[in-house]
Amino acid sequence: GAVVSQHPSRVICKSGTSVKIECRSLDFQATTMFWYRQFPKQSLMLMATSNEGSKATYEQGVEKDKFLINHASLTLSTLTVTSAHPEDSSFYICSASGRAGYEQYFGPGTRLTVT
Amino acid sequence: GESVGLHLPTLSVQEGDNSIINCAYSNSASDYFIWYKQESGKGPQFIIDIRSNMDKRQGQRVTVLLNKTVKHLSLQIAATQPGDSAVYFCAEQSGGYNKLIFGAGTRLAVHP
């Protein structure tokens, strides 16, 4: 149980375009979802926390107008990178936490390359 | 500010040996700690966790030790196998709030 999927697994987009990444909890209801960014050979950095039905809480230094997060249902959260630039190229990972709290279940990640 | 750090960025071990990966944390209010394994191009995989009211927890071939006095966490892997080669991260959480703070990571390389 506790499976989280992400789509797409890899995406290449041109500079200036927007790209949407989906995160789904497949077998549980996720009251909270988290979005992380990971640059090569670095750790996971939390970008934002989203609770179903409410606005996301962004970490310091993360532009909320650039990284749009929607958590409209208990099984789906989306991250939209708007007007992407090469420096946004990274590995984006989501995680989901159910009503039991504590444990987060991680998705497989999405590799974004902006050319 | 809050931070979780690791002493060793890379650890090389021989197959069959025991591995010990260390982690220091700075938030004394953290009450839940987790070790994750991440293989190249994949998301983190849960290994083992421990709550602050414990100082040791064992799983299959893995043991996590927590020393709250010096704010230190370690992951011990017994009889390390090539499939254990990955980057290992510790993470901490405080007060039931789900936000996790990740350490820098240690790459474990297992040699035959």
Coordinates of all heavy atoms in Angstrom, one line a residue, chain A residues 9-71:
Chain A
S9 N 7.4 11.2 -15.9 CA 8.7 10.9 -15.2 C 9.8 11.7 -15.7 O 10.8 12.0 -15.0 CB 9.0 9.4 -15.4 OG 9.1 9.1 -16.8
R10 N 9.7 12.1 -17.0 CA 10.7 13.0 -17.6 C 10.0 14.0 -18.5 O 9.1 13.6 -19.2 CB 11.7 12.2 -18.4 CG 12.7 11.3 -17.7 CD 13.6 10.6 -18.6 NE 14.6 9.8 -17.9 CZ 15.8 10.3 -17.6 NH1 16.1 11.5 -17.9 NH2 16.6 9.6 -16.9
V11 N 10.5 15.2 -18.5 CA 9.9 16.2 -19.5 C 11.0 17.2 -19.9 O 11.8 17.6 -19.1 CB 8.7 16.9 -18.8 CG1 9.1 17.6 -17.5 CG2 8.1 17.9 -19.8
I12 N 11.0 17.5 -21.2 CA 11.9 18.5 -21.7 C 11.0 19.6 -22.3 O 10.1 19.3 -23.0 CB 12.8 17.9 -22.8 CG1 13.6 16.7 -22.3 CG2 13.7 19.0 -23.4 CD1 14.4 16.0 -23.3
C13 N 11.3 20.8 -21.9 CA 10.5 21.9 -22.4 C 11.4 23.1 -22.8 O 12.6 23.1 -22.4 CB 9.5 22.4 -21.4 SG 10.2 23.2 -20.0
K14 N 10.9 23.9 -23.6 CA 11.7 25.1 -24.1 C 11.6 26.2 -23.1 O 10.6 26.4 -22.4 CB 11.2 25.6 -25.4 CG 11.5 24.6 -26.6 CD 11.0 25.2 -27.9 CE 11.2 24.2 -29.1 NZ 12.6 24.1 -29.4
S15 N 12.6 27.0 -23.0 CA 12.7 28.1 -22.1 C 11.5 29.1 -22.4 O 11.2 29.4 -23.5 CB 14.0 28.9 -22.3 OG 14.1 29.9 -21.3
G16 N 10.8 29.5 -21.3 CA 9.7 30.4 -21.5 C 8.3 29.7 -21.4 O 7.3 30.4 -21.3
T17 N 8.3 28.4 -21.6 CA 7.0 27.7 -21.6 C 6.8 27.2 -20.1 O 7.6 27.3 -19.3 CB 7.1 26.5 -22.5 OG1 8.1 25.5 -22.1 CG2 7.4 26.9 -23.9
S18 N 5.5 26.7 -20.0 CA 5.1 26.2 -18.6 C 5.0 24.7 -18.7 O 4.6 24.1 -19.8 CB 3.8 26.8 -18.2 OG 4.0 28.2 -18.0
V19 N 5.2 24.0 -17.6 CA 5.1 22.6 -17.6 C 4.4 22.2 -16.3 O 4.6 22.7 -15.2 CB 6.4 21.9 -17.7 CG1 7.4 22.3 -16.6 CG2 6.3 20.4 -17.8
K20 N 3.5 21.2 -16.4 CA 2.7 20.7 -15.2 C 3.2 19.3 -14.8 O 3.3 18.4 -15.7 CB 1.2 20.7 -15.5 CG 0.4 20.2 -14.4 CD -1.1 20.1 -14.7 CE -1.7 21.5 -14.9 NZ -3.2 21.4 -15.0
I21 N 3.4 19.1 -13.5 CA 3.7 17.8 -13.0 C 2.6 17.3 -12.1 O 2.2 18.1 -11.2 CB 5.1 17.9 -12.2 CG1 6.2 18.4 -13.2 CG2 5.4 16.5 -11.7 CD1 7.5 18.7 -12.4
E22 N 2.2 16.1 -12.2 CA 1.1 15.6 -11.4 C 1.7 14.6 -10.3 O 2.6 13.9 -10.6 CB 0.1 14.8 -12.2 CG -0.7 15.7 -13.2 CD -1.8 14.9 -13.9 OE1 -1.8 13.6 -13.8 OE2 -2.6 15.5 -14.5
C23 N 1.0 14.7 -9.2 CA 1.4 13.7 -8.1 C 0.1 13.1 -7.6 O -0.8 13.8 -7.2 CB 2.1 14.5 -7.0 SG 2.5 13.5 -5.5
R24 N 0.0 11.8 -7.6 CA -1.2 11.1 -7.2 C -0.9 10.1 -6.1 O 0.1 9.3 -6.2 CB -1.8 10.4 -8.4 CG -2.3 11.3 -9.5 CD -3.0 10.5 -10.6 NE -3.4 11.3 -11.7 CZ -4.6 11.9 -11.7 NH1 -5.5 11.8 -10.8 NH2 -4.9 12.7 -12.8
S25 N -1.8 10.1 -5.1 CA -1.7 9.0 -4.1 C -2.7 7.9 -4.6 O -3.9 8.2 -4.8 CB -2.1 9.5 -2.7 OG -3.4 10.1 -2.8
L26 N -2.2 6.7 -4.9 CA -3.0 5.7 -5.6 C -4.0 4.9 -4.7 O -5.0 4.4 -5.1 CB -2.1 4.8 -6.4 CG -1.3 5.5 -7.4 CD1 -0.5 4.4 -8.2 CD2 -2.1 6.3 -8.4
D27 N -3.6 4.7 -3.4 CA -4.4 3.8 -2.6 C -4.6 4.4 -1.2 O -5.0 3.7 -0.3 CB -3.6 2.5 -2.5 CG -2.2 2.6 -2.0 OD1 -1.8 3.8 -1.8 OD2 -1.5 1.6 -2.0
F28 N -4.5 5.7 -1.1 CA -4.9 6.3 0.2 C -5.2 7.8 -0.1 O -4.9 8.3 -1.1 CB -3.7 6.2 1.2 CG -2.5 7.0 0.9 CD1 -2.3 8.2 1.6 CD2 -1.6 6.6 0.0 CE1 -1.1 9.0 1.3 CE2 -0.4 7.3 -0.3 CZ -0.2 8.5 0.4
Q29 N -5.9 8.4 0.9 CA -6.2 9.8 0.8 C -5.2 10.6 1.4 O -4.8 10.4 2.6 CB -7.6 10.0 1.4 CG -8.7 9.3 0.7 CD -10.1 9.7 1.3 OE1 -10.2 9.8 2.5 NE2 -11.1 9.8 0.4
A30 N -4.6 11.5 0.6 CA -3.5 12.4 1.1 C -4.0 13.7 1.5 O -4.4 14.5 0.7 CB -2.5 12.5 0.0
T31 N -4.1 14.0 2.8 CA -4.5 15.3 3.3 C -3.4 16.3 3.0 O -3.8 17.5 2.9 CB -4.8 15.2 4.8 OG1 -3.7 14.7 5.5 CG2 -6.0 14.3 5.1
T32 N -2.2 15.9 3.0 CA -1.1 16.8 2.8 C -0.2 16.3 1.8 O 0.2 15.1 1.8 CB -0.3 17.1 4.1 OG1 -1.2 17.5 5.1 CG2 0.7 18.2 3.9
M33 N 0.2 17.1 0.8 CA 1.2 16.7 -0.1 C 2.4 17.7 -0.1 O 2.2 18.9 0.2 CB 0.6 16.6 -1.5 CG -0.2 15.4 -1.7 SD -0.8 15.2 -3.4 CE -1.4 13.6 -3.4
F34 N 3.6 17.3 -0.4 CA 4.8 18.1 -0.3 C 5.5 18.0 -1.7 O 5.5 17.0 -2.3 CB 5.7 17.6 0.8 CG 5.1 17.5 2.1 CD1 4.4 16.4 2.5 CD2 5.3 18.5 3.0 CE1 3.8 16.3 3.8 CE2 4.7 18.4 4.3 CZ 4.0 17.3 4.7
W35 N 6.1 19.1 -2.0 CA 6.9 19.2 -3.3 C 8.3 19.5 -2.9 O 8.6 20.5 -2.2 CB 6.3 20.2 -4.2 CG 5.0 19.7 -4.9 CD1 3.8 20.0 -4.5 CD2 4.9 18.9 -6.0 NE1 2.9 19.4 -5.3 CE2 3.6 18.7 -6.3 CE3 5.9 18.3 -6.9 CZ2 3.1 17.9 -7.3 CZ3 5.4 17.5 -7.9 CH2 4.1 17.3 -8.2
Y36 N 9.2 18.7 -3.4 CA 10.7 18.9 -3.2 C 11.4 19.1 -4.5 O 10.9 18.6 -5.6 CB 11.3 17.7 -2.5 CG 10.7 17.4 -1.1 CD1 9.6 16.7 -1.0 CD2 11.4 17.8 0.0 CE1 9.1 16.4 0.3 CE2 11.0 17.5 1.3 CZ 9.8 16.8 1.4 OH 9.3 16.5 2.7
R37 N 12.5 19.8 -4.4 CA 13.4 19.9 -5.6 C 14.7 19.4 -5.2 O 15.2 19.6 -4.1 CB 13.4 21.4 -6.0 CG 14.3 21.7 -7.2 CD 14.1 23.1 -7.7 NE 14.3 24.1 -6.7 CZ 14.1 25.4 -6.9 NH1 13.7 25.8 -8.1 NH2 14.2 26.2 -5.9
Q38 N 15.3 18.7 -6.1 CA 16.6 18.1 -5.8 C 17.6 18.3 -7.0 O 17.4 17.8 -8.1 CB 16.5 16.6 -5.6 CG 17.8 15.9 -5.1 CD 17.6 14.5 -4.8 OE1 16.8 13.8 -5.4 NE2 18.4 14.0 -3.9
F39 N 18.6 19.1 -6.8 CA 19.7 19.3 -7.8 C 20.7 18.2 -7.7 O 20.8 17.5 -6.7 CB 20.3 20.7 -7.6 CG 19.4 21.8 -7.9 CD1 18.9 22.6 -6.8 CD2 19.0 22.1 -9.2 CE1 18.0 23.7 -7.1 CE2 18.1 23.1 -9.4 CZ 17.6 23.9 -8.4
P40 N 21.4 17.9 -8.8 CA 22.4 16.8 -8.8 C 23.3 16.8 -7.6 O 23.9 17.8 -7.2 CB 23.1 17.0 -10.1 CG 22.2 17.8 -11.0 CD 21.4 18.7 -10.1
K41 N 23.4 15.6 -7.0 CA 24.3 15.4 -5.9 C 24.0 16.2 -4.7 O 24.9 16.5 -3.8 CB 25.8 15.6 -6.3 CG 26.2 14.6 -7.4 CD 27.7 14.8 -7.8 CE 28.0 13.8 -8.9 NZ 29.5 13.9 -9.2
Q42 N 22.8 16.7 -4.6 CA 22.3 17.4 -3.4 C 21.1 16.8 -2.8 O 20.6 15.8 -3.2 CB 22.0 18.9 -3.8 CG 23.2 19.7 -4.3 CD 22.9 21.1 -4.5 OE1 22.0 21.7 -3.9 NE2 23.7 21.8 -5.3
S43 N 20.8 17.4 -1.6 CA 19.7 16.8 -0.9 C 18.3 17.3 -1.4 O 18.3 18.1 -2.3 CB 19.8 17.2 0.6 OG 18.9 16.5 1.4
L44 N 17.3 16.8 -0.8 CA 15.9 17.3 -1.2 C 15.7 18.6 -0.4 O 15.9 18.7 0.8 CB 14.9 16.2 -0.7 CG 14.7 15.0 -1.6 CD1 15.8 14.0 -1.4 CD2 13.4 14.3 -1.3
M45 N 15.2 19.5 -1.2 CA 14.8 20.8 -0.6 C 13.3 21.0 -0.7 O 12.8 21.0 -1.8 CB 15.6 22.0 -1.3 CG 17.1 21.9 -1.1 SD 17.6 22.0 0.6 CE 17.1 23.6 1.0
L46 N 12.7 21.2 0.4 CA 11.2 21.4 0.4 C 10.9 22.7 -0.2 O 11.4 23.7 0.1 CB 10.7 21.3 1.9 CG 9.2 21.5 2.0 CD1 8.4 20.3 1.4 CD2 8.8 21.6 3.5
M47 N 10.0 22.6 -1.2 CA 9.5 23.8 -1.9 C 8.2 24.4 -1.2 O 8.1 25.6 -1.0 CB 9.2 23.6 -3.3 CG 10.4 23.1 -4.1 SD 10.0 22.6 -5.8 CE 9.5 24.2 -6.5
A48 N 7.3 23.4 -1.0 CA 6.0 23.9 -0.5 C 5.2 22.7 0.1 O 5.5 21.5 -0.3 CB 5.2 24.5 -1.6
T49 N 4.3 23.1 0.9 CA 3.4 22.1 1.5 C 2.0 22.5 1.1 O 1.6 23.6 1.2 CB 3.5 22.2 3.1 OG1 4.8 21.9 3.4 CG2 2.6 21.1 3.7
S50 N 1.2 21.5 0.7 CA -0.2 21.8 0.3 C -1.1 20.9 1.0 O -1.0 19.7 1.1 CB -0.4 21.7 -1.2 OG -0.4 20.3 -1.7
N51 N -2.2 21.5 1.5 CA -3.2 20.7 2.2 C -4.5 20.8 1.3 O -4.7 21.8 0.7 CB -3.6 21.3 3.5 CG -2.5 21.1 4.5 OD1 -2.1 20.0 4.9 ND2 -1.8 22.2 5.0
E52 N -5.1 19.7 1.2 CA -6.3 19.6 0.3 C -7.3 20.7 0.5 O -7.7 20.9 1.7 CB -7.0 18.2 0.4 CG -8.1 18.0 -0.5 CD -9.4 18.2 0.1 OE1 -9.5 18.2 1.4 OE2 -10.4 18.4 -0.6
G53 N -7.6 21.4 -0.5 CA -8.6 22.4 -0.5 C -8.1 23.8 0.0 O -9.0 24.7 0.1
S54 N -6.9 23.9 0.3 CA -6.4 25.2 0.8 C -5.1 25.6 0.0 O -4.5 24.8 -0.7 CB -6.1 25.2 2.3 OG -5.1 24.3 2.6
K55 N -4.7 26.8 0.2 CA -3.5 27.3 -0.5 C -2.3 26.7 0.0 O -2.2 26.4 1.2 CB -3.4 28.9 -0.4 CG -4.5 29.6 -1.2 CD -4.3 31.1 -1.1 CE -5.3 31.9 -1.9 NZ -5.1 33.3 -1.8
A56 N -1.3 26.5 -0.9 CA -0.1 25.9 -0.5 C 0.8 26.9 0.4 O 0.6 28.1 0.2 CB 0.7 25.5 -1.7
T57 N 1.6 26.4 1.2 CA 2.5 27.1 2.0 C 3.9 26.9 1.4 O 4.4 25.8 1.4 CB 2.5 26.7 3.5 OG1 1.2 26.8 4.0 CG2 3.5 27.5 4.3
Y58 N 4.5 28.0 1.0 CA 5.8 28.0 0.3 C 6.9 28.2 1.3 O 6.8 29.0 2.2 CB 5.8 29.0 -0.8 CG 4.9 28.6 -2.0 CD1 3.6 28.9 -1.9 CD2 5.5 28.0 -3.1 CE1 2.7 28.6 -3.0 CE2 4.6 27.7 -4.2 CZ 3.3 28.0 -4.1 OH 2.5 27.6 -5.1
E59 N 8.0 27.5 1.1 CA 9.2 27.8 1.8 C 9.9 29.1 1.4 O 9.7 29.6 0.3 CB 10.2 26.6 1.7 CG 9.7 25.3 2.2 CD 9.4 25.4 3.7 OE1 10.4 25.7 4.5 OE2 8.3 25.1 4.1
Q60 N 10.7 29.6 2.3 CA 11.3 30.9 2.0 C 12.2 30.7 0.8 O 13.0 29.8 0.7 CB 12.2 31.2 3.3 CG 12.7 32.7 3.2 CD 13.4 33.1 4.5 OE1 13.6 32.2 5.4 NE2 13.8 34.3 4.6
G61 N 12.1 31.7 -0.1 CA 12.9 31.7 -1.3 C 12.3 31.0 -2.5 O 12.8 31.1 -3.6
V62 N 11.1 30.4 -2.3 CA 10.4 29.7 -3.4 C 9.4 30.7 -3.9 O 8.5 31.1 -3.1 CB 9.8 28.4 -3.0 CG1 9.1 27.8 -4.1 CG2 10.9 27.5 -2.5
E63 N 9.4 31.0 -5.2 CA 8.4 32.0 -5.8 C 7.1 31.3 -6.0 O 7.0 30.4 -6.9 CB 9.0 32.5 -7.1 CG 10.3 33.2 -7.0 CD 10.9 33.6 -8.3 OE1 10.1 34.3 -9.1 OE2 12.0 33.2 -8.7
K64 N 6.1 31.7 -5.3 CA 4.8 31.1 -5.4 C 4.2 31.4 -6.8 O 3.3 30.6 -7.3 CB 3.9 31.5 -4.3 CG 3.6 33.0 -4.3 CD 2.6 33.4 -3.1 CE 2.3 34.9 -3.1 NZ 1.4 35.2 -2.0
D65 N 4.5 32.5 -7.4 CA 3.9 32.8 -8.7 C 4.6 32.0 -9.9 O 4.1 31.9 -11.0 CB 4.0 34.3 -9.0 CG 3.2 35.1 -8.1 OD1 2.1 34.6 -7.6 OD2 3.5 36.2 -7.8
K66 N 5.8 31.5 -9.6 CA 6.5 30.7 -10.5 C 6.2 29.2 -10.4 O 6.1 28.5 -11.4 CB 8.0 30.9 -10.4 CG 8.8 30.1 -11.4 CD 10.3 30.5 -11.4 CE 11.0 29.8 -12.5 NZ 10.5 30.1 -13.8
F67 N 6.0 28.8 -9.2 CA 5.7 27.4 -8.9 C 4.3 27.3 -8.4 O 4.1 27.4 -7.2 CB 6.7 26.8 -8.0 CG 8.2 26.8 -8.5 CD1 9.0 27.8 -8.1 CD2 8.6 25.8 -9.3 CE1 10.3 27.8 -8.5 CE2 9.9 25.8 -9.8 CZ 10.8 26.8 -9.4
L68 N 3.4 27.1 -9.3 CA 2.0 27.0 -8.9 C 1.6 25.6 -8.4 O 1.8 24.7 -9.1 CB 1.1 27.5 -10.1 CG 1.4 28.8 -10.6 CD1 0.4 29.1 -11.8 CD2 1.2 29.9 -9.6
I69 N 1.0 25.6 -7.2 CA 0.6 24.3 -6.7 C -0.9 24.3 -6.4 O -1.5 25.2 -5.9 CB 1.4 24.0 -5.4 CG1 2.9 23.8 -5.7 CG2 0.8 22.8 -4.6 CD1 3.7 23.7 -4.4
N70 N -1.5 23.2 -6.9 CA -2.9 22.9 -6.7 C -3.1 21.6 -6.1 O -2.5 20.6 -6.5 CB -3.6 23.0 -8.1 CG -5.1 22.9 -7.9 OD1 -5.6 21.8 -7.8 ND2 -5.8 24.0 -8.0
H71 N -4.0 21.6 -5.0 CA -4.3 20.3 -4.3 C -5.8 20.2 -4.2 O -6.3 20.4 -3.1 CB -3.6 20.3 -3.0 CG -3.6 19.0 -2.3 ND1 -2.8 18.8 -1.1 CD2 -4.2 17.9 -2.5 CE1 -3.1 17.5 -0.7 NE2 -3.9 17.0 -1.5

